[in-house]
Amino acid sequence: MSSPTAHLLEAIAFAAAKHRDQRRKDPEASPYINHPITLAHLLATTGGVDDVVVLQAAILHDTIEDTQTVYAELLDRFGKEVADVVAEVTDDKSLPKEQRKELQVTHAPHASRQAALVKLADKICNLRDIAASPPRGWPLERQRDYFDWAKRVVDRLPPVSEPLSAAFEAAYAARP
Ligand code: ZN
């Protein structure tokens, strides 16, 4: 049996390979993998999360949505618990963008504790990133819309972490 640390490192290696050709939308075009790593780090530090399933799911949270990764692959490599959390935080890309965004709002109250933690951390990281260095080609209005939409999602999540909720409010306070 490998240790929780080994499982986490395996998830990082897997996600790094899957996201290898992707960059973030910031002007510096940071390597994509920085985002899931920052998210897991935020959960482990501010959130005090030591549940390795949550941390693995955080590392893997964008693999199905933004790479060729399929659920069965995660199931096979990381087990059902991790794969299910990732599936839960994955948008259905066959739907139009506006509908996907609305579904995040309506689905939020039904999120599992593990998925709610990942979603909350994801929104915190995204708001911080936008405030620190707005994505290329995003006018102020689009940045503000993102902040407001993220708040609508987060306000409807089940309460899972006071320190992370506070971190979200602090991030939201920097709304451009
Ligand atoms: Zn993300």
Side-chain angles (χ1 to χ4, degrees), residues 5-74:
T5 305
H7 286 305
L8 185 55
L9 292 169
E10 191 185 338
I12 293 170
F14 179 91
K18 291 291 189 176
H19 290 297
R20 67 186 178 279
D21 295 325
Q22 296 173 321
R23 294 290 178 274
R24 293 287 283 170
K25 291 174 182 154
D26 61 298
E28 291 77 34
S30 314
Y32 198 92
I33 190 63
N34 289 15
H35 166 64
I37 291 174
T38 303
L39 212 139
H41 184 246
L42 175 71
L43 284 165
T45 53
T46 303
V49 172
D50 58 6
D51 177 351
V52 76
V53 168
V54 174
L55 300 176
Q56 281 178 293
I59 291 292
L60 299 166
H61 80 279
D62 280 331
T63 55
I64 296 179
E65 194 169 306
D66 291 335
T67 77
Q68 301 298 318
T69 310
V70 294
Y71 174 85
E73 212 175 343
L74 296 183

Side-chain angles (χ1 to χ4, degrees), residues 8 17 31 37 47 61 67 85 90-91 107 111 118 123 129 148 157 165:
L8 185 55
I37 291 174
H61 80 279
T67 77
V85 178
T90 298
D91 282 354
H107 287 165
V118 174
K123 297 294 185 275
D129 285 353
D148 293 341
L157 287 172
S165 293

Side-chain angles (χ1 to χ4, degrees), residues 98-171:
E98 283 313 309
Q99 196 178 342
R100 293 200 310 260
K101 295 190 85 169
E102 242 0 85
L103 281 175
Q104 282 209 31
V105 177
T106 52
H107 287 165
H110 314 292
S112 67
R113 187 191 64 85
Q114 291 162 318
L117 283 167
V118 174
K119 270 198 174 288
L120 183 51
D122 192 30
K123 297 294 185 275
I124 295 166
C125 291
N126 286 340
L127 294 197
R128 286 179 176 177
D129 285 353
I130 292 169
S133 49
R136 284 159 284 147
W138 278 38
L140 205 51
E141 207 50 41
R142 181 164 179 195
Q143 298 171 39
R144 288 177 176 160
D145 284 350
Y146 189 94
F147 267 65
D148 293 341
W149 167 74
K151 184 158 173 57
R152 288 175 65 217
V153 175
V154 166
D155 282 351
R156 285 163 181 79
L157 287 172
V160 284
S161 164
E162 268 182 40
L164 288 173
S165 293
F168 179 83
E169 290 308 321

